[in-house]
Amino acid sequence: MLAVLSGGGTAGHINPALALADVLRERGWDVRFAGCPTGVEARLAPQAGLAFQPFEAAGFNRRHPASIASALVKIQKSTSAAKRWFAEVHPDVVVGFGGYVSIPVARAAEACGIPVVVHEQNSVMGMANKYLARRAQAVCVTYARSADALKDRSRVHVTGNPVRASVLAATRAEGRALLGVPEDAFMLLVFGGSLGARRINEGIAACKDALLAVPNLHVVHLTGPRELERAEQSLALSPAERERWHVIGYQDRMGETLAAADAVVSRSGATSLAEISARALPALLVPFPFATEDHQTKNAQAYVEAGCAYLLPDDQVETPEFCRLVLSLVRDAGVREGMEKAARAQKTADAARVLADVVMDAAADGPHALQ
């Protein structure tokens, strides 16, 4: 059985696809990835051991009609190319994870009679997924509210957002060894996504003295590569303080880093939130306020309503409330225990397997299953 996964634009579309690929391959499936040749997926999919098939796609600006025409031409050409490719490889199912490239790949699948499954990571359905969901055989969502955009909910499955096995398998000991944090220390992890978040960096710097006054506390602070120098200047750490405040520009081993943590301060992008949930880490979430349709706030609200985390708007990071909530995470074991219990109830660690079940059921109903 062959599954073609497609998505692009951001790692938030790619990581859940790679998590699904892990499970499908464990179950004996062949999995290939279709994406843009210049997108992050062109690097991440081959790194994960997936055969990669490139197709051109581009977004458009509604205010500039020429960009719409150009995007439509690329979509049509890539749809035709995907049809020819499908005629060669005969996939049993196509799974779209969002991003413009998933449109021609899924449209080609529909034209060839191949079942299409769509997965939405965020609480607000993206444009590509909203378009494809109208005809998809199954629509999988992380949050039930994502389906509000659909008239027909009979094909909707709440699966959660898949997390890669490497994130789930990482151990505390591995993470502590990687970061140089003692096993018996309390570790607070602070990060703002792969590029960092200046507001969070500045907010946590304002809490430095209060945090370092907590005995045996270590802070692992991922600033983002472009914000490293600025954050170090704001922190102005002494040599003694650097022994407990670990400033890192970029970390590509997030599985071990999350496994080492006791609590987290973070943005609430789909992948970050899924990984925090899967590891059941107590958290203070500070949504990026300029995300499309404010979806990071909506992501966080669903999680906070379940009792898994604190939430603070970005424009309140510079108020005393930010430090109060951070210190509550660090000092109050009861708060952390309640958040951890609520996070485990989300069963995010099972999301990849649940999504794989839906994908396999869709393939079983496809034309190739009758051959």
Side-chain angles (χ1 to χ4, degrees):
M1 302 289 279
L2 169 62
V4 170
L5 314 184
S6 184
T10 69
H13 293 314
I14 314 306
N15 287 326
L18 299 182
L20 172 63
D22 289 341
V23 175
L24 289 176
R25 289 189 292 186
E26 284 176 4
R27 297 181 182 183
W29 280 53
D30 181 15
V31 182
R32 306 189 188 191
F33 201 102
C36 283
T38 57
V40 65
E41 61 270 24
R43 175 176 58 87
L44 295 180
Q47 282 181 356
L50 298 179
F52 182 79
Q53 183 68 28
F55 295 103
E56 294 286 350
F60 58 85
N61 186 333
R62 291 182 177 88
R63 296 178 182 177
H64 297 88
S67 71
I68 298 175
S70 174
L72 291 175
V73 168
K74 284 187 177 181
I75 286 174
Q76 188 56 50
K77 287 183 176 179
S78 291
T79 300
S80 298
K83 288 179 186 178
R84 293 192 294 270
W85 182 52
F86 289 159
E88 296 174 7
V89 300
H90 303 293
D92 296 279
V93 64
V94 167
V95 189
F97 285 84
Y100 291 105
V101 71
S102 64
I103 294 177
V105 176
R107 285 183 63 191
E110 293 168 359
C112 296
I114 300 165
V116 173
V117 176
V118 169
H119 182 273
E120 176 57 53
Q121 300 86 51
N122 286 298
S123 55
V124 177
M125 191 165 287
M127 189 201 75
N129 279 346
K130 192 181 296 185
Y131 169 76
L132 296 174
R134 292 181 295 180
R135 293 183 296 275
Q137 183 158 333
V139 180
C140 299
V141 296
T142 301
Y143 309 99
R145 68 177 62 179
S146 303
D148 290 348
L150 306 178
K151 293 181 180 179
D152 178 8
R153 300 194 185 190
S154 64
R155 296 166 288 117
V156 173
H157 304 262
V158 180
T159 63
N161 195 13
V163 173
R164 294 206 68 189
S166 58
V167 173
L168 300 173
T171 67
R172 179 183 175 92
E174 290 171 341
R176 295 291 171 116
L178 171 69
L179 299 165
V181 175
E183 176 60 33
D184 64 347
F186 185 99
M187 178 183 142
L188 175 68
L189 173 62
V190 181
F191 68 104
S194 60
L195 298 179
R198 181 174 297 179
R199 185 69 68 90
I200 291 177
N201 289 341
E202 292 175 349
I204 205 70
C207 303
K208 183 187 79 171
D209 292 343
L211 285 169
L212 289 177
V214 178
N216 208 28
L217 170 70
H218 282 243
V219 177
V220 172
H221 184 177
L222 308 185
T223 65
R226 292 183 294 189
E227 297 294 325
L228 176 59
E229 183 177 354
R230 184 186 183 99
E232 287 186 323
Q233 290 175 352
S234 295
L235 286 164
L237 296 167
S238 69
E241 290 171 338
R242 286 185 180 278
E243 293 181 5
R244 293 201 290 136
W245 198 293
H246 311 259
V247 184
I248 303 169
Y250 177 76
Q251 176 61 273
D252 60 1
R253 296 173 64 179
M254 282 303 293
E256 293 99 320
T257 303
L258 288 163
D262 294 296
V264 173
V265 177
S266 171
R267 291 298 197 194
S268 51
T271 295
S272 295
L273 195 50
E275 292 176 349
I276 290 168
S277 176
R279 298 289 327 189
L281 286 168
L284 167 57
L285 302 175
V286 183
F288 177 58
F290 304 111
T292 304
E293 296 188 52
D294 198 21
H295 69 254
Q296 283 208 12
T297 297
K298 291 168 183 163
N299 291 351
Q301 285 172 338
Y303 196 60
V304 170
E305 288 167 5
C308 308
Y310 289 137
L311 184 154
L312 189 72
D314 183 83
D315 62 5
Q316 294 183 32
V317 168
E318 296 175 354
T319 70
E321 182 67 1
F322 178 75
C323 282
R324 186 189 74 79
L325 292 176
V326 173
L327 289 170
S328 174
L329 273 183
V330 170
R331 291 173 171 163
D332 196 328
V335 166
R336 295 195 304 275
E337 288 170 6
M339 289 181 178
E340 179 180 349
K341 182 178 179 181
R344 293 195 186 284
Q346 302 300 301
K347 298 184 178 180
T348 306
D350 297 330
R353 291 188 290 274
V354 175
L355 178 58
D357 290 341
V358 176
V359 169
M360 292 173 70
D361 286 344
D365 294 334
H368 296 172
L370 303 177
Q371 295 177 4

